[in-house]
Amino acid sequence: MSLPQRLSPGRFLHPRGVAYLVFAVTLLLSGLVAYNIKLNVEGQERRHFDDAVLQTLAAIEQRMATYADTLNSVSALFYASESVTRGEFQVYVNTLRIPERYPGIQSLGFIRRVHEIEKLAFARQLLEEHRTNPCGYPEFPIFQTRGHTEYFLIVFVEPIAQNRALFGRDVLADPACRAPMERARDTGKISASKRITLRHGDQDKAGFVLLLPLYKPGIALDSVDKRRRALVGYVFGNFLMNDLFQGIFGKRVVSNIGIDLEVFDGRQLTRENLLYDDDAVLHSSEAEEHPSVFRQTTEIDVGGHIWSLSFITLPTFHDSFGKQLSTLFLVSGILLSFLLYRVILTRAVHASERLRHTAILEHQASHDSLTSLVNRDFLLERLREKLLEGAGKSQNTALLMIDLNGFKEINDTLGHQSGDALLQQIGPRLQKLMRPTDVLSRLGGDEFGLMLTPLHGEEEATTWARRVIEEIHRPFELDGITVQIDASVGIALHPMHGQDSSTLMRCADVAMYVAKKSHHGYAVYQPELDMHSPRQLSLMSQIEEAMRQEQLVLYFQPKIRLQDGNVIGVEALIRWNHPKEGLIPPIEFIPQVERSTLIRPFTLWVIEHALLQCRQWQDAGLPTKVAVNISARNLLDSELPDDVARLLTRHRITPDYLELEITESAIVADPERALDILTKLHEHGVRISIDDFGTGYSSLAHLKRLPVSNLKIDASFVSDMTDNENDAIIVRSTVDLSHNLGLNVIAEGVENRETLDILQILDCDYAQGFFICRPIPTADVTEWLRQHTPKARH
Ligand code: C2E
Ligand code: CA
Ligand code: CA
């Protein structure tokens, strides 16, 4: 039933936990997906890179093969004809359309092997050729080098215009050419030079030479030696690296696909060996290995020479692949997860708030906030359930109504906090006594309800009541002050006193009221006590009629001065002379009248009849002051003072002949309003006395504010005074204090001589009681007055 237990099933699936879980799962999922995408993209990139490398390699190799073919086709020219002229060579090379079809070829040419002994004949031949058809060739710079047994002279080179400088050069003298020349000669295959610098226009550019050996036709070339002897020269091509590679790809590889191509002569990837760099930034020698960069180095054989081709991806390559896709996905995944988390959390928190709120509301609806005990509704509900369950069974259920006596006094003197602290301690004390099936509830104020079930009869219920009273009577510690308090307990039993929960509650209430009045501690409900019994209801319906028909009668009880025994006045006490029931005492109908609006006409009826009698006594020469009892509710009626004044005038009674008796509790209900009305009455000259003093919660100091002239000590103290020393002390101190405050004291309920004597010793002012005179009808009281009024007054 307690709050934490109610919420406990939800603890495993705490809404916040669900939100966190969803957040974690979606985060993990988007992470996985992003990772997957990344892998995928990387795989794709890698494949693309590999393809690009393969394609590039294939293109290069194809181009190289084409160059080889070109050289071969040129060599075929020489094999086909004994003596190729420079004109023929020029025509042939022109037909190849080198600039368009073979970018990168700077020149094609023919190197002729000339023995020392042929030198002169060869020179003559060239001169002759130059004379008949120069074709743009300069005059032959014959044999700039001397002292060789043979020469390797460039005799044709095309296009001649930009290659004049090569014409006639003895190539063997060039160390860069010597090795490939010898290799070509010995192998019979095309040979490439290492990196050389080629003069192109007025620029030096990186390049290389390809050389193809030419042998004398018709000779077996099956050994190196034979080849060496059969060699007649070389067909050669000069290549410009940049033009070559850019020619292969149409434009730079980098701008094409984002891969940097660097070509190195040999196996060392150094700047010195660099033949070609696509983006002019050397990446191959970068020490730092970037993880996302792909690299591949491939070696190819170019005319017996190793070239290293290095491929490296550049950022543009990766960009084109949407590498960001995975990051983008991850970021949006995180965002989405967070959003989802927020949405779930907000909804979940709302839901849990609602749940908590509902639980709190439910708890509030069924519990008392101060004591945390269940409230009246809850108790009634449980009682209802119990009665249904127990229907037909022999066992009983009891309802105990517990009310604290003098709680208001503690509240007023020690403060509300102490009062609250006391109320909070009641629950734990009584719960110690209770069984699991019993229910304790705070009904409101200082009132508690205790349902006891099962129970076997009235006796067990009264034992419980005594235990409860005992437990409450144990001292309370409130802020270091020890306080003792009594409780009144009313007992109602099911099924004897009522069949349903609300009837039982009302019965327990009635019994509690009786217990309080009787000062007995507890009382078991009896139908006769019940003001709501059918008899009471029937009496109530007749009261108006009773007033009209003069069934109500006033009895009067004299009050005397203790000092001299003289009458000081009479108290009017009402009786109902019922046509069927006979004389009904006021206690049987006044509480009912007090709870209805009839109290106003009723009180005015009493005042009017008391004044009527007062008038008669005055007219009969027995001037007697009359006291009338006023109910608590009359003190809420602001018209009362004027009504009283009007009645006094109507019956020509001076106000000092009327006294109004008000109980302490009447003032306590609404002190401000009571004070206002009492003040007005006092201003009209009417005297006020406090009735039943000592049973309520007011203190004498409190009464000082009120325009009161007399104080009536309650009969409960007076009647026991002779036996109970405590009561005597209370009477004595009340008398002393009242005198100090300028008040007169009347003792009610004087039933014997002894009491009267003690009161006289205690300096009490007046007395009233059966010993002096019982309340008696008008005729009798008039007679009594006649006998007791001092003759001197006449
Ligand atoms: P109360 O104002 O305290 O009136 C005194 C009650 O004590 C009277 O009871 C009276 O008969 C009784 N009594 C007087 N002397 C003795 C004694 O020596 N011993 C004992 N045991 N009792 C004594 P009663 O007349 O039955 O009235 C009961 C209560 O009803 C009154 O208590 C008063 O509160 C109320 N009451 C009576 N008449 C009226 C009335 O006209 N208007 C209102 N509002 N209340 C009235
Ligand atoms: Ca009275
Ligand atoms: Ca009284």
Side-chain angles (χ1 to χ4, degrees):
M1 197 184 71
S2 70
L3 198 57
Q5 269 176 21
R6 275 194 189 199
L7 288 178
S8 64
R11 224 175 21 201
F12 301 106
L13 265 175
H14 195 279
R16 242 171 236 278
V18 173
Y20 285 137
L21 194 74
V22 169
F23 181 52
V25 167
T26 47
L27 206 61
L28 193 77
L29 274 177
S30 47
L32 276 174
V33 172
Y35 182 66
N36 216 13
I37 289 177
K38 188 174 139 75
L39 284 184
N40 239 310
V41 168
E42 268 177 19
Q44 257 183 41
E45 278 183 345
R46 172 55 77 174
R47 275 194 298 282
H48 190 76
F49 174 72
D50 291 345
D51 287 354
V53 168
L54 278 176
Q55 278 172 24
T56 310
L57 281 173
I60 292 169
E61 274 166 1
Q62 197 197 345
R63 180 54 66 97
M64 286 306 170
T66 313
Y67 288 147
D69 286 351
T70 312
L71 289 188
N72 278 321
S73 74
V74 174
S75 73
L77 182 71
F78 289 92
Y79 284 119
S81 157
E82 273 283 293
S83 54
V84 178
T85 65
R86 66 171 62 153
E88 284 167 342
F89 187 79
Q90 190 171 53
V91 168
Y92 182 75
V93 172
N94 279 348
T95 59
L96 295 177
R97 301 212 311 280
I98 286 171
E100 306 100 83
R101 290 173 58 194
Y102 307 105
I105 297 183
Q106 189 203 32
S107 56
L108 284 174
F110 174 59
I111 298 166
R112 175 144 178 194
R113 184 185 194 181
V114 179
H115 287 279
E116 176 67 29
I117 45 164
E118 300 173 284
K119 215 166 81 172
L120 288 173
F122 168 70
R124 262 199 306 278
Q125 186 196 332
L126 281 180
L127 280 172
E128 179 58 26
E129 210 165 90
H130 184 66
R131 198 177 53 77
T132 53
N133 182 13
C135 295
Y137 278 75
E139 278 193 44
F140 190 72
I142 290 177
F143 311 118
Q144 288 138 331
T145 53
R146 292 167 198 283
H148 291 285
T149 52
E150 57 178 359
Y151 303 90
F152 285 86
L153 304 172
I154 294 173
V155 292
F156 302 146
V157 61
E158 289 295 341
I160 185 68
Q162 68 250 35
N163 292 301
R164 273 166 189 266
L166 294 177
F167 181 64
R169 188 184 283 186
D170 184 358
V171 195
L172 211 57
D174 189 339
C177 291
R178 194 180 189 101
M181 280 171 74
E182 284 171 355
R183 197 167 61 242
R185 177 197 66 198
D186 292 351
T187 59
K189 290 178 182 164
I190 288 177
S191 247
S193 76
K194 62 175 192 180
R195 178 190 191 277
I196 57 168
T197 305
L198 291 173
R199 189 82 198 156
H200 190 74
D202 53 357
Q203 281 184 323
D204 283 338
K205 290 189 172 176
F208 66 98
V209 184
L210 278 182
L211 292 146
L212 176 68
L214 283 176
Y215 300 100
K216 248 186 234 138
I219 291 177
L221 300 169
D222 47 8
S223 71
V224 170
D225 198 47
K226 283 178 189 165
R227 282 186 209 117
R228 283 184 181 175
R229 269 186 273 125
L231 183 78
V232 291
Y234 300 89
V235 172
F236 77 89
N238 276 349
F239 295 87
L240 290 167
M241 294 299 296
N242 269 322
D243 295 355
L244 188 153
F245 282 104
Q246 281 167 29
I248 291 175
F249 308 113
K251 52 182 173 178
R252 287 174 180 274
V253 190
V254 171
S255 46
N256 247 2
I257 48 173
I259 296 175
D260 183 29
L261 169 63
E262 288 165 1
V263 183
F264 297 89
D265 189 3
R267 295 200 159 92
Q268 304 288 327
L269 311 186
T270 58
R271 188 170 289 282
E272 297 77 58
N273 293 342
L274 186 68
L275 287 173
Y276 172 74
D277 186 349
D278 201 71
D279 68 345
V281 180
L282 193 61
H283 291 288
S284 299
S285 58
E286 276 170 10
E288 198 193 327
E289 279 275 321
H290 205 277
S292 61
V293 167
F294 301 145
R295 284 168 183 267
Q296 187 179 327
T297 307
T298 306
E299 291 174 1
I300 58 168
D301 181 66
V302 178
H305 210 80
I306 296 291
W307 279 5
S308 297
L309 274 65
S310 163
F311 298 90
I312 295 173
T313 55
L314 297 177
T316 46
F317 174 84
H318 300 288
D319 288 352
S320 66
F321 269 88
K323 183 133 205 152
Q324 267 55 346
L325 197 66
S326 64
T327 321
L328 201 76
F329 198 91
L330 186 68
V331 170
S332 40
I334 292 171
L335 274 175
L336 219 83
S337 311
F338 187 70
L339 234 106
L340 202 64
Y341 160 76
R342 286 300 313 177
V343 168
I344 292 179
L345 192 69
T346 321
R347 307 200 82 194
V349 165
H350 278 170
S352 90
E353 291 277 287
R354 252 202 318 276
L355 207 74
R356 213 167 57 86
H357 203 70
T358 317
I360 290 172
L361 284 182
E362 272 175 23
H363 189 263
Q364 278 177 354
S366 59
H367 286 72
D368 164 55
S369 59
L370 177 67
T371 60
S372 290
L373 295 173
V374 297
N375 61 18
R376 179 187 291 266
D377 289 348
F378 190 91
L379 180 73
L380 279 171
E381 188 54 42
R382 288 306 292 270
L383 197 56
R384 215 181 329 259
E385 285 169 17
K386 243 323 34 103
L387 299 188
L388 280 177
E389 258 175 51
K393 294 186 187 165
S394 61
Q395 40 183 249
N396 305 135
T397 294
L399 181 63
L400 269 56
M401 181 88 71
I402 304 158
D403 192 278
L404 307 182
N405 301 338
F407 172 74
K408 199 178 170 353
E409 206 169 27
I410 290 177
N411 237 354
D412 287 349
T413 51
L414 299 181
H416 281 280
Q417 267 177 330
S418 297
D420 287 352
L422 190 145
L423 291 176
Q424 283 168 336
Q425 289 180 42
I426 300 281
R429 280 195 183 189
L430 299 187
Q431 274 160 343
K432 273 194 311 195
L433 310 174
M434 287 158 57
R435 304 159 298 178
T437 45
D438 302 332
V439 177
L440 178 66
S441 150
R442 183 183 176 210
L443 303 175
D446 56 354
E447 227 177 55
F448 295 84
L450 177 58
M451 177 182 98
L452 298 168
T453 183
L455 206 83
H456 303 96
E458 191 178 312
E459 215 166 295
E460 198 182 336
T462 53
T463 311
W464 267 97
R466 275 194 297 274
R467 256 189 253 160
V468 166
I469 290 167
E470 235 168 69
E471 197 53 55
I472 292 176
H473 193 67
R474 282 195 301 111
F476 287 90
E477 284 291 325
L478 304 176
D479 285 332
I481 298 169
T482 308
V483 174
Q484 251 181 322
I485 197 160
D486 280 316
S488 302
V489 178
I491 303 168
L493 288 161
H494 173 83
M496 295 80 107
H497 301 146
Q499 295 297 325
D500 60 277
S501 56
S502 48
T503 307
L504 281 178
M505 189 71 94
R506 199 175 52 72
C507 293
D509 194 25
V510 168
M512 190 272 288
Y513 188 76
V514 170
K516 219 175 192 68
K517 273 272 168 188
S518 71
H519 300 277
H520 265 78
Y522 65 89
V524 179
Y525 175 78
Q526 288 167 330
E528 309 82 73
L529 301 171
D530 197 342
M531 298 170 295
H532 293 272
S533 67
R535 176 172 175 267
Q536 294 298 324
L537 291 172
S538 128
L539 283 182
M540 270 305 286
S541 65
Q542 300 168 43
I543 195 107
E544 265 185 295
E545 180 79 359
M547 281 196 285
R548 271 199 305 275
Q549 308 220 333
E550 300 287 324
Q551 288 174 14
L552 300 181
V553 284
L554 287 183
Y555 275 40
F556 294 93
Q557 186 178 34
K559 309 173 183 179
I560 59 158
R561 185 186 287 118
L562 277 165
Q563 223 178 0
D564 51 18
N566 284 343
V567 181
I568 55 141
V570 291
E571 178 180 1
L573 294 161
I574 198 139
R575 303 305 177 241
W576 184 351
N577 205 351
H578 196 274
K580 284 190 192 134
E581 298 204 21
L583 209 60
I584 304 173
I587 194 76
E588 285 180 28
F589 62 92
I590 283 194
Q592 287 293 100
V593 176
E594 280 178 339
R595 287 179 196 194
S596 76
T597 49
L598 279 177
I599 189 63
R600 183 162 186 266
F602 175 84
T603 302
L604 292 179
W605 186 96
V606 176
I607 295 173
E608 172 139 48
H609 283 76
L611 292 180
L612 266 173
Q613 191 53 52
C614 189
R615 179 77 261 146
Q616 282 180 20
W617 283 325
Q618 283 192 14
D619 292 347
L622 292 169
T624 310
K625 296 182 175 175
V626 197
V628 173
N629 291 284
I630 299 285
S631 285
R633 267 193 80 169
N634 294 130
L635 284 192
L636 302 177
D637 179 3
S638 52
E639 286 173 38
L640 182 73
D642 289 343
D643 288 340
V644 171
R646 207 183 54 242
L647 289 175
L648 283 168
T649 316
R650 185 187 297 170
H651 300 287
R652 293 173 288 113
I653 304 290
T654 51
D656 60 323
Y657 269 79
L658 181 64
E659 183 176 333
L660 298 179
E661 296 190 4
I662 296 139
T663 58
E664 273 184 280
S665 49
I667 299 155
V668 166
D670 187 350
E672 292 312 311
R673 196 138 161 205
L675 177 64
D676 184 48
I677 289 166
L678 291 180
T679 308
K680 278 189 183 140
L681 286 168
H682 180 72
E683 280 166 5
H684 285 309
V686 177
R687 287 182 305 146
I688 317 275
S689 44
I690 297 296
D691 210 351
D692 298 352
F693 184 78
T695 58
Y697 310 123
S698 58
S699 62
L700 274 172
H702 188 189
L703 297 178
K704 216 171 84 174
R705 294 170 62 216
L706 301 172
V708 171
S709 46
N710 292 316
L711 208 121
K712 297 185 81 173
I713 303 182
D714 192 70
S716 59
F717 300 104
V718 178
S719 52
D720 265 6
M721 229 171 68
T722 46
D723 304 328
N724 189 325
E725 205 183 332
N726 255 354
D727 285 355
I729 291 171
I730 288 172
V731 172
R732 176 179 203 134
S733 52
T734 307
V735 169
D736 289 350
L737 280 168
S738 301
H739 286 170
N740 285 344
L741 290 170
L743 301 175
N744 290 317
V745 184
I746 312 176
E748 290 185 309
V750 180
E751 293 181 350
N752 47 49
R753 162 103 273 150
E754 224 183 327
T755 310
L756 203 65
D757 290 345
I758 297 175
L759 286 170
Q760 219 160 2
I761 295 166
L762 292 181
D763 205 18
C764 185
D765 300 293
Y766 313 112
Q768 182 183 355
F770 291 170
F771 179 70
I772 300 153
C773 182
R774 287 185 169 261
I776 41 174
T778 318
D780 298 344
V781 87
T782 308
E783 188 48 40
W784 193 92
L785 285 173
R786 236 182 258 289
Q787 288 172 14
H788 288 80
T789 306
K791 297 274 178 286
R793 289 184 76 174
H794 290 278

